[in-house]
């Protein structure tokens, strides 16, 4: 087996990174443009992942390339086009911004580490970012997924990609992995802060629906903790907001294919609530740390339309954590906890100081 070439090394050379330590903040991914041409390779990579689709490879290859990739790209492109911004894909915009701000927040706490973002599918890839960090002299990397709840379909897939890169690398950096933070107090506080801010501005609806991304139901019985972690997040958030069981619902969205997924499904639940007489609904998506297609199009557009068409009168989508200061402080806490024991206090370079100052200024402007 051949290994990837190592970066040029000079004996006694100090790493260019401030401390030789880095955080790799990983999210799902996004196409490069809201077009069928851009969707096709993105969906091919995403739907070829055995962590995402657990059926025999040969059979699935025929279905994927014979049917799905001929039809789905055009439909998905239209959905992406409806939420695309001047800066690009919302998921990429928020992930990049969170990575920059995380570096600044950590720097303000005297943890001078490099922070990069990567996408499991699409660009920048996990492998490309690991190559860059290694070339800069980073020898310790914390892999921090943007997924609060662990799932084999998401979190484990990120880890798989890191392992694949490591399998081709001669000198492997020291790695640490964050499995989940679904019950982290700071994360729950940040969710509660988003809800309270929405209530203060718009008033409080009759029910709060907490919609999580769905996964096939069979994964629950095969040992995936995702379902349980979603419900724990919901319980903790409801407790923080002092909601009774009758005042909130937990649902799952984004079904794919004909198999049974985790229930209850989001849109049918909203339709049923409207038909039963519920007039005002607030919806939050706690499993998404940044707004994306699944929140801005599937919930804020499609689910809203379904609820209103069924007789509802007011549908309010509560935005994701995005660049909320409470969330960024929590993300810093999570990273700092897992960085414990690693050297992160090396005197920073000018770029690190600039990032810290930018984060402080941005936070001050929002408060």
């Amino acid at each position: 087996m051949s290994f990837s070439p190592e970066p040029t090394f000079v004996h006694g050379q100090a790493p260019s990174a401030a401390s030789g330590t880095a955080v790799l903040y990983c999210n799902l991914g996004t196409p490069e443009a809201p077009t069928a041409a851009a969707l096709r390779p993105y969906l091919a990579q995403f739907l070829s992942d055995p962590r995402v689709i657990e059926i025999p490879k040969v059979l699935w290859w025929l279905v994927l390339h014979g049917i799905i990739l001929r039809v789905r790209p055009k439909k998905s492109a239209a959905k992406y086009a409806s939420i695309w911004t001047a800066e690009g894909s919302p998921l990429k915009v928020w992930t990049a911004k969170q990575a920059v701000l995380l570096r600044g927040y950590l720097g303000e706490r005297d943890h001078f580490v490099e922070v990069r973002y990567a996408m499991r599918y699409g660009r920048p890839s996990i492998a490309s970012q690991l190559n860059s960090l290694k070339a800069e002299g980073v020898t310790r990397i914390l892999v921090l997924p943007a997924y609060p709840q662990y799932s084999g379909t998401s979190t484990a897939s990120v880890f798989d990609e890191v392992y694949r890169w490591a399998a081709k690398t001669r000198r492997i950096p020291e790695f640490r992995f964050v499995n989940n933070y679904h019950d982290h107090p700071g994360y729950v506080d940040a969710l509660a802060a988003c809800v309270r801010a929405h209530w203060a501005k718009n008033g409080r609806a009759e029910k709060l629906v907490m919609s999580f991304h769905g996964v096939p139901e069979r994964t629950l019985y095969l040992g995936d903790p995702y379902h349980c972690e979603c419900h724990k997040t919901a319980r903790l958030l409801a407790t923080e907001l002092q909601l009774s069981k009758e005042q909130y619902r937990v649902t799952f969205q984004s079904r794919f294919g004909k198999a049974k997924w985790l229930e209850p499904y989001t849109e049918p639940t909203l339709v049923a609530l409207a038909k039963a007489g519920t007039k005002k609904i607030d919806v939050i998506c706690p499993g998404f740390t940044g707004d994306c297609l699944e929140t801005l199009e599937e919930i804020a557009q499609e689910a809203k339309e379904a609820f209103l068409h069924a007789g509802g009168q007011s549908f309010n989508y509560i935005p994701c954590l995005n660049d909320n200061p409470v969330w960024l402080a929590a993300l810093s806490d999570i990273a700092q906890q897992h960085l414990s024991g690693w050297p992160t206090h090396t005197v920073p370079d000018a770029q690190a100081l600039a990032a810290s100052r930018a984060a402080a200024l941005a936070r001050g402007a929002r408060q």
Side-chain angles (χ1 to χ4, degrees), residues 36 61-62 76-77 92 95 115 130 141 166 190 231 241 279 300 315 339:
W61 189 95
L62 293 172
S76 295
K92 194 168 188 176
T95 305
V115 179
L130 289 174
I141 302 173
H231 275 278
L241 295 172
K279 299 301 181 184
F315 180 105
L339 289 167

Side-chain angles (χ1 to χ4, degrees), residues 146-194:
Y147 317 125
Q149 295 78 23
Y150 177 95
S151 171
T153 63
S154 54
T155 316
S157 184
V158 165
F159 298 169
D160 285 346
E161 196 66 9
V162 175
Y163 304 148
R164 269 189 284 273
W165 177 86
K168 300 176 183 178
T169 303
R170 185 177 301 278
R171 187 176 181 181
I172 301 172
E174 184 177 358
F175 282 108
R176 290 180 182 173
F177 299 87
V178 180
N179 272 38
N180 57 32
Y181 40 92
H182 65 288
D183 57 355
H184 190 280
Y187 161 65
V188 176
D189 286 346
L191 291 173
C194 289

Side-chain angles (χ1 to χ4, degrees), residues 36-37 45 83 89 155 185 209 272 278 303 320 328 365:
Q45 184 186 15
I83 56 99
S89 164
T155 316
V209 174
T278 301
C320 289
L328 291 166

Side-chain angles (χ1 to χ4, degrees), residues 124-136:
S125 68
I126 290 173
S128 69
Q129 294 291 55
L130 289 174
N131 285 334
S132 295
L133 290 171
K134 186 174 171 64
E136 293 168 24

Side-chain angles (χ1 to χ4, degrees), residues 208-212 227 230-231 233-235 248-252 263-266 269:
L208 176 65
V209 174
M210 304 179 196
S211 180
F212 293 85
H227 177 267
C230 290
H231 275 278
T233 295
R235 288 196 302 272
Y248 75 97
R249 294 284 183 91
V250 178
T251 63
F252 296 91
E263 294 180 315
Y265 302 140
T266 298
T269 298

Side-chain angles (χ1 to χ4, degrees), residues 36 39-40 43 47 63-79 256:
L39 261 294
R40 195 165 288 108
L43 289 175
L47 297 176
V63 173
L64 178 61
H65 291 273
I67 302 174
I68 294 175
L69 292 180
R70 295 174 182 269
V71 178
R72 194 174 179 89
K74 185 177 180 180
K75 293 181 178 179
S76 295
K79 293 177 183 291
F256 178 77

